[in-house]
């Protein structure tokens, strides 16, 4: 019980350390308003292109994509902020299990990503007048939590790259655009070149978007277990890769006597 308390206490404290310096207005503008305007833009675009056909699925899937700001950029900031503030050496020298440590720091970003996605769904319902079946809300919550977990794993891989370079903004923006392109939220992956649709299978959110559309538009849950099992496995692989990268950086730090790998 005490270990669980420490786990969640560390999760909350690390999240406050990242965003505690922001006042509520800055948090709303960066973490909420910016993603919501993105969702409204793409929902209006697909509403015009597809003349309102299947709009519910497009609104819900674009709401899911709002988690990118929290899961990918937030998890990248976990490592970058430690490096920028000079606390990375203390974190890496601590005797705690690094896998548990960084997973604990990802929990608030998973919750924040789910909150942002849910808020986007509410805005979509209010603005576009679409109706989401009540019975689909629980499956959607499960789908979104697993998808956001997977996205956080990819974000932590991106964060581990900051051990080697302090300039991560270009790479993070490219990755965010790739997630938007390969998720299939605004068009079917079948219209893309085969190599791109195959590449999309190795990115998070793609399966979550597919299931979100199927459940909201058709109430189809036949692929739920298979796709969510694949997404959960993908997220676990992402976290495993990131932990390996972090342990390798820890090894190099001992050899070189510094955390500056670049």
């Amino acid at each position: 019980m005490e270990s669980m308390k420490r786990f969640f206490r560390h999760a909350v404290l690390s999240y406050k350390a990242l965003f505690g310096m922001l006042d509520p207005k800055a948090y709303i503008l960066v973490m909420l308003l910016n993603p919501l305007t993105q969702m409204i833009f793409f929902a209006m675009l697909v509403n015009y292109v597809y003349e309102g056909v299947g709009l519910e699925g497009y609104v819900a899937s674009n709401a899911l994509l709002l988690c990118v700001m929290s899961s990918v950029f937030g998890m990248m900031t976990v490592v970058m902020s430690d490096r920028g503030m000079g606390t990375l050496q203390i974190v890496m020298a601590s005797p705690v299990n690094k896998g548990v440590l960084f997973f604990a720091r990802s929990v608030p970003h998973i919750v924040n990503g789910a909150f942002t996605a849910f808020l986007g769904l509410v805005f979509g319902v209010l603005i576009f007048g679409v109706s989401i079946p009540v019975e689909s809300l629980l499956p959607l919550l499960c789908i979104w939590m697993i998808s956001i977990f997977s996205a956080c794993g990819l974000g932590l891989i991106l964060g581990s790259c900051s051990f080697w370079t302090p300039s991560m903004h270009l790479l993070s923006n490219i990755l965010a655009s790739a997630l938007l392109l390969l998720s299939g939220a605004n068009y079917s992956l079948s219209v893309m070149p085969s190599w791109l649709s195959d590449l999309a299978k190795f990115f998070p959110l793609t399966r979550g978007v597919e299931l979100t559309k199927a459940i909201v538009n058709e109430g189809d849950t036949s692929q739920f277990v298979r796709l969510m099992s694949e997404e959960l496995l993908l997220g676990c692989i992402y976290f495993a890769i990131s932990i390996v990268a972090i342990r390798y950086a820890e090894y190099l730090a001992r050899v070189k006597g510094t955390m500056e790998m670049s």
Side-chain angles (χ1 to χ4, degrees):
M1 182 61 70
E2 181 59 30
S3 60
M4 290 298 295
K5 289 181 180 179
R6 286 199 303 269
F7 178 89
F8 287 107
R9 186 164 58 244
H10 179 76
V12 173
L13 288 175
S14 66
Y15 192 78
K16 285 182 177 179
L18 283 178
F19 297 104
M21 76 291 293
L22 299 178
D23 60 39
K25 295 191 295 296
Y27 177 85
I28 291 172
L29 287 173
V30 174
M31 299 300 293
L32 298 179
L33 187 59
N34 184 39
L36 286 174
T37 53
Q38 171 189 300
M39 188 275 294
I40 292 172
F41 168 78
F42 283 108
M44 292 182 67
L45 180 64
V46 298
N47 186 38
Y48 173 78
V49 172
Y50 302 118
E51 299 180 347
V53 177
L55 181 60
E56 293 86 353
Y58 290 112
V59 168
S61 56
N62 275 284
L64 172 58
L65 289 184
L66 300 187
C67 74
V68 170
M69 179 64 73
S70 177
S71 57
V72 176
F73 288 90
M75 287 306 300
M76 179 190 72
T77 309
V78 165
V79 181
M80 285 189 64
S81 63
D82 277 333
R83 177 169 180 164
M85 292 185 291
T87 56
L88 185 60
Q89 293 88 340
I90 299 173
V91 171
M92 299 306 291
S94 63
V96 300
N97 185 300
K98 299 303 184 295
V100 176
L101 176 70
F102 282 98
F103 179 70
R105 302 176 84 178
S106 72
V107 170
H109 296 280
I110 296 174
V111 175
N112 189 39
F115 169 72
T116 307
F118 176 75
L119 192 63
L121 183 62
V122 171
F123 268 69
V125 170
L126 294 176
I127 293 173
F128 296 98
V130 298
S131 59
I132 306 296
V134 176
E135 59 272 15
S136 67
L137 293 180
L138 186 58
L140 280 181
L141 177 62
C142 182
I143 292 166
W144 287 7
M145 293 299 288
I146 294 175
S147 299
I148 294 169
F149 164 77
S150 181
C152 281
L154 183 59
L156 189 55
I157 291 178
L158 186 65
S160 66
C161 295
S162 63
F163 286 120
W164 286 270
T165 173
S167 301
M168 293 298 301
H169 295 290
L170 175 61
L171 182 58
S172 63
N173 280 283
I174 291 174
L175 179 60
S177 300
L179 287 173
L180 189 64
L181 172 69
L182 298 175
S183 66
N186 299 307
Y187 47 81
S188 173
L189 292 178
S190 60
V191 304
M192 300 176 65
S194 58
W195 67 273
L196 271 181
S197 59
D198 291 337
L199 181 64
K201 298 176 183 178
F202 298 95
F203 276 75
L205 304 180
T206 304
R207 296 166 185 81
V209 164
E210 181 182 345
L211 267 177
T212 296
K213 286 184 177 181
I215 290 176
V216 172
N217 288 337
E218 306 160 12
D220 182 11
T221 59
S222 59
Q223 300 295 317
F224 181 89
V225 175
R226 180 181 66 85
L227 291 178
M228 283 301 94
S229 298
E230 292 177 0
E231 190 75 2
L232 183 60
L233 177 61
L234 184 65
C236 292
I237 292 173
Y238 282 150
F239 271 98
I241 292 173
S242 64
I243 296 305
V244 169
I246 290 169
R247 287 191 179 278
Y248 181 62
E250 187 179 7
Y251 164 76
L252 290 180
R254 291 197 186 99
V255 173
K256 295 183 176 182
T258 176
M259 287 301 302
E260 300 298 324
M261 304 301 173
S262 56

